[in-house]
Amino acid sequence: MRGLYIHIPFCKQKCHYCHFVSKTDLSLIDSYTDALVEELKSYRSYMNSIVTLYIGGGTPSLLSCSQLEKIVNQIDFEKIEEFTIEVNPESVTEEKLMCYRKLGVNRISMGVQTTDDKQLKLIGRLHNYSDVVEKFKLIRKMGFDNVNLDLIYGLPEQSEQSLQLDIDRIMDLSPEHISTYSLMYEEGTFLDSLRIDGIVKAATDEIDRKFFQLIQKQLEIKNYKRYEISNFSKKGFESNHNLLYWSAKEYIGAGVSAHGYLERYRYENESDIQTYIQRMSEGKSAVVYREFIDDKEEIFEYIMLNLRKSDGFAISEFNNKFNLDFYVEYYNEIDYLVSNNAVSIENGRIFLTNYGFDVSNSVYGKFLR
């Protein structure tokens, strides 16, 4: 059981907070598509084990139907249960949504970020709130009943009132899934240069926590469950692809700068788009870095990733997987974390408390050896 992530690194305009590999030169899309096809062919022997497919970016909805179809034709859909594609409001059309249905997409993830038009402009988004409403209704009209919306909090000059308006407006749309992100001022981004120049001010950690607590409270009132540190969903609409990551399962990463975890090797692809295209045209591997995950690191990553989930992990599953006794191996750590109300153990499962989520990095550190 594996996941497949495909990275589409093209955008009409780079968002001011974005530090991911992306390109605004759309003339490269055709050659990049061909390169992706070649890379996917190299994973042909793994295709019959793929259960989730996620096409992210960048802005995958910039691709034409024929370009997307060329990529998807390399994939074995026999066992795929969840096929997600990321879209931005300004590039969603009825024609593309029809194409997605035809190709088997059953989950849409739309980058909303905020419903405040002034803030959208500040962070470099090309849509406005009315676009979000219009395109969400179009997505529903075209028959998609599993939709995620992204929400960023901690925006410059954001108040509780403006965040509450964001929440209310998203609740009015009633998506099945909501992914939340704290705004990060990544080095080298345009937004970070504004912060350095004193034009915008980053939210404090205290405000950040306060905003997330507001989001959590309001979403839970509307029956959205926090199933992972920053993701909420209605019952039965958790992202299987996300859960695959956080359950420490294997996944293939294809495309420029993509990361993967396969047969105990973690790997990273070429991060320069034109070099990636050239490597694929020459029949070379896209992988530029590989690292073997030894037993010690595998155990730590299993604990760390699974504790991101609200229901943590079954201790019996850990014991069976690693042929260890979790209570014996981590007696002191468990005793400390339970006594400090950072983790709970119920019905044979260990999981983070609300306080534990707030200090999750410290919790993970206790299991690092």
Side-chain angles (χ1 to χ4, degrees), residues 252-301:
I252 297 167
V256 67
S257 76
H259 292 66
Y261 177 53
L262 201 57
E263 297 183 353
R264 295 192 68 174
Y265 278 92
R266 197 167 304 286
Y267 67 86
E268 179 181 343
N269 278 0
E270 170 61 51
S271 61
D272 180 80
I273 295 175
Q274 289 172 314
T275 304
Y276 168 83
I277 292 171
Q278 183 178 348
R279 289 176 72 97
M280 293 299 94
S281 68
E282 294 174 353
K284 297 178 181 178
S285 171
V287 177
V288 293
Y289 175 79
R290 293 175 82 234
E291 176 189 11
F292 180 74
I293 304 303
D294 62 22
D295 293 349
K296 183 178 176 182
E297 189 166 0
E298 185 184 21
I299 290 169
F300 171 69
E301 289 193 359

Side-chain angles (χ1 to χ4, degrees), residues 168-186:
D168 291 343
R169 285 173 164 176
I170 286 177
M171 290 299 93
D172 286 344
L173 296 174
S174 191
E176 285 67 39
H177 190 284
I178 298 170
S179 296
T180 65
Y181 303 92
S182 170
L183 181 66
M184 304 297 291
Y185 290 79
E186 301 286 355

Side-chain angles (χ1 to χ4, degrees), residues 114-341:
T114 177
T115 64
D116 184 317
D117 288 348
K118 181 180 177 182
Q119 292 279 9
L120 284 168
K121 186 174 181 180
L122 177 62
I123 61 176
R125 302 293 287 179
L126 295 175
H127 66 270
N128 56 36
Y129 170 56
S130 63
D131 294 329
V132 171
V133 175
E134 177 189 348
K135 298 306 173 68
F136 186 88
K137 289 180 178 178
L138 180 60
I139 290 168
R140 288 295 198 219
K141 176 186 172 184
M142 299 307 295
F144 291 96
D145 58 5
N146 190 356
V147 181
N148 169 69
L149 299 181
D150 290 341
L151 173 66
I152 292 180
Y153 60 94
L155 295 163
E157 301 177 12
Q158 188 174 45
S159 64
E160 276 192 60
Q161 291 73 24
S162 61
L163 177 58
Q164 182 66 61
L165 182 59
D166 276 347
I167 297 169
D168 291 343
R169 285 173 164 176
I170 286 177
M171 290 299 93
D172 286 344
L173 296 174
S174 191
E176 285 67 39
H177 190 284
I178 298 170
S179 296
T180 65
Y181 303 92
S182 170
L183 181 66
M184 304 297 291
Y185 290 79
E186 301 286 355
E187 184 178 355
T189 62
F190 179 70
L191 194 62
D192 191 49
S193 69
L194 295 182
R195 180 192 62 81
I196 292 170
D197 292 341
I199 297 171
V200 299
K201 187 178 180 180
T204 64
D205 290 343
E206 182 182 357
I207 291 174
D208 225 43
R209 284 194 296 272
K210 186 177 181 181
F211 282 178
F212 183 80
Q213 288 167 1
L214 174 63
I215 292 170
Q216 182 178 6
K217 179 181 178 181
Q218 294 299 311
L219 295 192
E220 287 179 348
I221 289 172
K222 296 292 185 178
N223 295 317
Y224 286 85
K225 178 187 175 184
R226 181 191 191 184
Y227 72 94
E228 188 266 341
I229 281 185
S230 59
N231 287 286
F232 298 79
S233 76
K234 295 179 180 178
K235 186 176 181 180
F237 288 96
E238 299 84 359
S239 167
N240 292 332
H241 192 78
N242 283 351
L243 287 173
L244 187 143
Y245 288 150
W246 311 136
S247 298
K249 304 293 185 183
E250 290 188 345
Y251 60 95
I252 297 167
V256 67
S257 76
H259 292 66
Y261 177 53
L262 201 57
E263 297 183 353
R264 295 192 68 174
Y265 278 92
R266 197 167 304 286
Y267 67 86
E268 179 181 343
N269 278 0
E270 170 61 51
S271 61
D272 180 80
I273 295 175
Q274 289 172 314
T275 304
Y276 168 83
I277 292 171
Q278 183 178 348
R279 289 176 72 97
M280 293 299 94
S281 68
E282 294 174 353
K284 297 178 181 178
S285 171
V287 177
V288 293
Y289 175 79
R290 293 175 82 234
E291 176 189 11
F292 180 74
I293 304 303
D294 62 22
D295 293 349
K296 183 178 176 182
E297 189 166 0
E298 185 184 21
I299 290 169
F300 171 69
E301 289 193 359
Y302 181 91
I303 295 170
M304 176 187 69
L305 293 172
N306 276 277
L307 283 179
R308 287 184 61 103
K309 302 182 296 185
S310 62
D311 63 353
F313 61 90
I315 292 170
S316 61
E317 289 182 11
F318 174 94
N319 294 346
N320 292 334
K321 180 176 177 64
F322 298 108
N323 195 28
L324 295 170
D325 187 321
F326 184 76
Y327 288 112
V328 172
E329 289 293 318
Y330 298 102
Y331 175 82
N332 291 330
E333 291 85 350
I334 294 168
D335 182 61
Y336 174 84
L337 292 169
V338 170
S339 64
N340 283 275
N341 193 34

Side-chain angles (χ1 to χ4, degrees), residues 77-92:
F77 275 81
E78 183 180 353
K79 296 180 182 177
I80 292 179
E81 301 171 354
E82 180 185 273
F83 179 1
T84 303
I85 188 167
E86 290 182 353
V87 303
N88 281 339
E90 71 275 3
S91 55
V92 174

